[in-house]
């Protein structure tokens, strides 16, 4: 598995800037649109659970689950960006992920932040 399969986040030319900070240098917030989020729930298939169980005996990274989690986080972030764009925002501040188990059937991943309209100073 190459490094490109472990990464995530935005491409360099996204029309909605997503940052973990509360402000963006060189920009000012002209409007606060409000909270936005992206949500997805993924279940693990039997093969990955078996592989994870075997890997726990010998230790080491469970690459299949790592790849699935990266894909899940990227999907949640894409949904957050779609929601921000649909509400007229061009930025999301204070971006965060939250990951929990969903009723023992899968992993719930939430991407959330504050949608804003940014203007260059």
């Amino acid at each position: 598995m190459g490094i490109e399969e472990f990464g995530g986040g935005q491409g360099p030319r996204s029309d909605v800037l997503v940052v973990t900070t509360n402000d963006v240098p060189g920009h000012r917030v002209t409007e606060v649109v409000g909270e936005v989020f992206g949500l997805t729930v993924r279940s693990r298939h039997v093969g990955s659970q078996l592989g994870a169980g075997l890997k726990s005996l010998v230790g080491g990274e469970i690459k299949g689950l790592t790849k699935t989690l990266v894909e899940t986080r990227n999907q949640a972030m894409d949904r957050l960006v779609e929601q921000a764009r649909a509400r007229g925002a061009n930025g999301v501040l204070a971006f965060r992920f939250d990951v929990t188990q969903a009723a023992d059937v899968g992993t719930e991943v939430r991407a959330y932040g504050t949608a804003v309209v940014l203007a260059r100073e």
Side-chain angles (χ1 to χ4, degrees):
M1 188 178 335
I3 191 66
E4 66 280 353
E5 295 179 278
F6 290 105
Q10 294 186 288
R13 301 280 186 239
S14 179
D15 61 329
V16 177
L17 179 63
V18 179
V19 297
T20 59
T21 57
N22 293 326
D23 53 22
V24 178
H27 295 75
R28 63 183 168 79
V29 174
T30 62
E31 180 184 350
V32 174
V33 175
E35 179 190 16
V36 289
F37 66 91
L39 174 68
T40 186
V41 178
R42 295 277 180 103
S43 65
R44 292 187 288 185
H45 59 77
V46 173
S48 70
Q49 288 177 329
L50 179 61
L54 293 173
K55 193 63 144 179
S56 69
L57 295 174
V58 296
E61 180 181 15
I62 306 166
K63 291 185 179 184
L65 292 179
T66 299
K67 185 176 178 183
T68 298
L69 185 55
V70 167
E71 291 169 353
T72 304
R73 286 172 57 125
N74 287 342
Q75 183 178 47
M77 186 172 184
D78 289 346
R79 289 178 177 174
L80 168 129
V81 169
E82 288 173 22
Q83 187 182 57
R85 185 182 298 120
R87 294 180 61 193
N90 66 350
V92 176
L93 303 179
F95 171 74
R96 302 287 186 268
F97 280 112
D98 188 24
V99 179
T100 58
Q101 288 301 114
D104 294 329
V105 296
T107 302
E108 176 185 12
V109 176
R110 287 178 302 277
Y112 62 94
T114 303
V116 297
V117 176
L118 296 169
R120 285 203 173 270
E121 292 184 324

